[in-house]
């Protein structure tokens, strides 16, 4: 309950959804008064975030404001309130997705103000802040002093990809070696079956997207197994950035199969509780993967634009 209340304080859209759930649970009907203080106490927050959530509900025609009387429900359970809740959920997800898509396509710069994003998407500052806070929880943006937010670097250049491998080479083996590392056996078994099925596909059916999904799922499972919450959180945030990197260069089929076999070998060692061996295998796996990706990412680039590749090559050399 305490965690849910803290989340509500930081996310007015989630709070708006909570208010609708409250109205549905109480069987409230259209026209019933929604007193700020009573709703705030029921949701476990102060009146300030309740006002912001009420504004969202008013904008979506779920509440109406009456001068000197306050807010009233414009619809109840019999009038489509449940469907309205879905619309509020879609509002948050839609803006979150649009910002993420524009960032992935480099249509928005590294640093953005709340006002600039509100103008770009024709939404309120509150809605932008809600979306940014979701992105911040995923490690994609960081709030700067004032109203500016900075996006994390995209993994779409040779140098960024090389730095990603160097970072992971430092931290992923340590995630395995942290005291208390645990592997989810059910998840590991399901992932093992998926990777075996991937290996059985003919080369013509091996796709970059399919490989990337399984690869990231495997490394996310390793990160979540770490008992060190700082190591776990840092790696999970980085893997979320990797999921955004739709332009990550595809490994050739032989390397995709080899990488899956390396994943399976690491799983074998983890299941036998041979953590030091698994960590060594992770080092070898990342070094092999890191050798090819920066080079492949530069294909098709003009030689005049390959300056960052040289820096990437130096980093790559330390991991090979």
């Amino acid at each position: 309950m305490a965690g849910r209340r803290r989340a509500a304080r930081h996310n007015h859209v989630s709070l708006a959804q909570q208010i609708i759930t409250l109205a549905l649970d109480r069987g409230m009907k259209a026209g019933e008064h929604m007193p700020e203080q009573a709703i705030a106490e029921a949701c476990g927050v102060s009146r300030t975030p309740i006002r912001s959530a009420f504004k969202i509900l008013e904008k979506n025609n779920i509440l109406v404001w009456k001068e000197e009387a306050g807010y009233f429900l414009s619809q109840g359970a019999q009038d489509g309130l449940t469907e309205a809740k879905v619309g509020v959920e879609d509002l948050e997800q839609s803006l979150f997705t649009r910002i993420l898509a524009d960032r992935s396509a480099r249509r928005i710069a590294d640093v953005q103000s709340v006002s600039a994003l509100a103008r770009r998407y024709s939404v309120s500052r509150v809605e932008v802040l809600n979306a940014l806070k979701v992105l911040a929880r995923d490690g994609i943006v960081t709030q700067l002093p004032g109203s500016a937010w900075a996006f994390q670097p995209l993994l779409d250049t040779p140098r960024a990809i090389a730095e990603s491998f160097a970072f992971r080479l430092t931290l992923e083996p340590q995630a395995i070696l942290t005291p208390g590392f645990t592997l989810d056996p059910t998840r590991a078994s399901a992932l093992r079956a998926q990777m075996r099925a991937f290996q059985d596909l003919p080369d013509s059916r091996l796709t970059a997207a399919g490989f990337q999904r399984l690869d990231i799922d495997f490394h996310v499972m390793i990160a979540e197994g770490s008992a060190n919450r700082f190591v776990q959180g840092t790696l999970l945030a980085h893997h979320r950035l990797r999921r955004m990197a739709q332009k990550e260069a595809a490994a050739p089929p032989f390397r995709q199969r080899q990488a899956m076999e390396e994943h399976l070998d690491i799983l074998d060692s983890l299941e036998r509780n041979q953590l030091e061996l698994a960590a060594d295998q992770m080092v070898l796996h990342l070094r092999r993967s890191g050798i090819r990706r920066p080079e492949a990412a530069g294909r098709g680039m003009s030689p005049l634009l390959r300056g960052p590749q040289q820096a990437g090559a130096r980093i790559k050399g330390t991991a090979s």
Side-chain angles (χ1 to χ4, degrees), residues 53 75 98 107 143 149 196 271:
Q75 49 190 300
R98 290 166 66 191
R107 289 189 288 265
Q143 187 170 14
W149 292 71
R196 284 297 187 200
E271 289 172 346

Side-chain angles (χ1 to χ4, degrees), residues 215-257:
D215 181 68
I216 294 176
D217 284 352
F218 170 78
H219 289 281
V220 164
M221 181 178 65
I222 298 299
E224 290 179 342
S226 174
N228 185 309
R229 56 180 175 164
F230 297 105
V231 171
Q232 182 188 91
T234 301
L235 281 173
L236 290 176
H238 188 74
H239 290 312
R240 282 189 285 267
L241 286 177
R242 291 183 64 211
R243 286 195 195 278
M244 286 178 58
Q246 299 300 320
K247 297 178 182 178
E248 188 169 312
F254 84 88
R255 177 54 198 159
Q256 292 185 29
R257 297 182 192 283

Side-chain angles (χ1 to χ4, degrees), residues 158 295 298-311:
E295 294 171 353
R299 290 174 185 165
M301 294 174 60
S302 166
L304 296 177
L305 299 177
R306 291 183 181 168
Q309 194 172 6
Q310 301 305 315

Side-chain angles (χ1 to χ4, degrees), residues 126-155:
V126 169
E127 291 170 80
V128 170
L129 281 169
N130 289 332
L132 288 173
K133 286 171 182 175
V134 173
L135 291 168
R137 288 202 299 269
D138 286 344
I140 295 169
V141 296
T142 303
Q143 187 170 14
L144 302 177
S147 61
W149 292 71
F151 285 87
Q152 292 297 312
L154 290 171
L155 302 180

Side-chain angles (χ1 to χ4, degrees), residues 26 35 61 73 101 209 227 255-257 282:
R26 293 182 176 182
N61 301 315
L73 269 177
R255 177 54 198 159
Q256 292 185 29
R257 297 182 192 283
M282 179 65 77

Side-chain angles (χ1 to χ4, degrees), residues 64-241:
V64 293
W65 166 258
K66 296 182 180 180
E67 194 67 32
E68 298 184 1
Y71 282 98
F72 294 80
L73 269 177
S74 64
Q75 49 190 300
Q78 303 301 318
D79 310 305
L81 186 56
T82 301
E83 292 77 5
K85 181 182 178 183
V86 175
V88 172
E89 293 170 349
D90 290 345
L91 169 70
E92 178 184 38
Q93 186 61 31
S94 174
L95 183 56
F96 167 91
T97 302
R98 290 166 66 191
I99 293 174
L100 199 57
D102 284 346
R103 174 58 184 163
S104 297
R106 289 193 175 275
R107 289 189 288 265
I108 54 179
D110 294 348
V111 177
Q112 291 287 313
S113 69
V114 173
S115 297
L117 290 173
R119 288 193 298 270
R120 177 182 180 87
Y121 297 104
S122 299
V123 296
S124 69
R125 289 173 55 88
V126 169
E127 291 170 80
V128 170
L129 281 169
N130 289 332
L132 288 173
K133 286 171 182 175
V134 173
L135 291 168
R137 288 202 299 269
D138 286 344
I140 295 169
V141 296
T142 303
Q143 187 170 14
L144 302 177
S147 61
W149 292 71
F151 285 87
Q152 292 297 312
L154 290 171
L155 302 180
D156 63 350
T157 65
R159 179 171 182 171
I161 294 171
E163 289 175 345
S164 170
F165 276 108
F167 165 79
R168 292 169 58 200
L169 186 59
T170 300
L171 209 54
E172 287 199 53
Q174 293 306 312
I176 295 173
L177 294 175
T178 53
F181 178 90
T182 56
L183 185 69
D184 182 339
T186 302
R187 187 173 177 185
S189 177
L191 195 53
R192 180 188 293 277
Q194 293 174 43
M195 290 190 292
R196 284 297 187 200
F198 182 89
Q199 286 183 313
D200 290 340
L201 292 173
D203 286 359
S204 60
R205 293 185 58 192
L206 296 180
T207 65
F211 173 77
Q212 184 183 29
R213 179 184 63 79
L214 285 174
D215 181 68
I216 294 176
D217 284 352
F218 170 78
H219 289 281
V220 164
M221 181 178 65
I222 298 299
E224 290 179 342
S226 174
N228 185 309
R229 56 180 175 164
F230 297 105
V231 171
Q232 182 188 91
T234 301
L235 281 173
L236 290 176
H238 188 74
H239 290 312
R240 282 189 285 267
L241 286 177

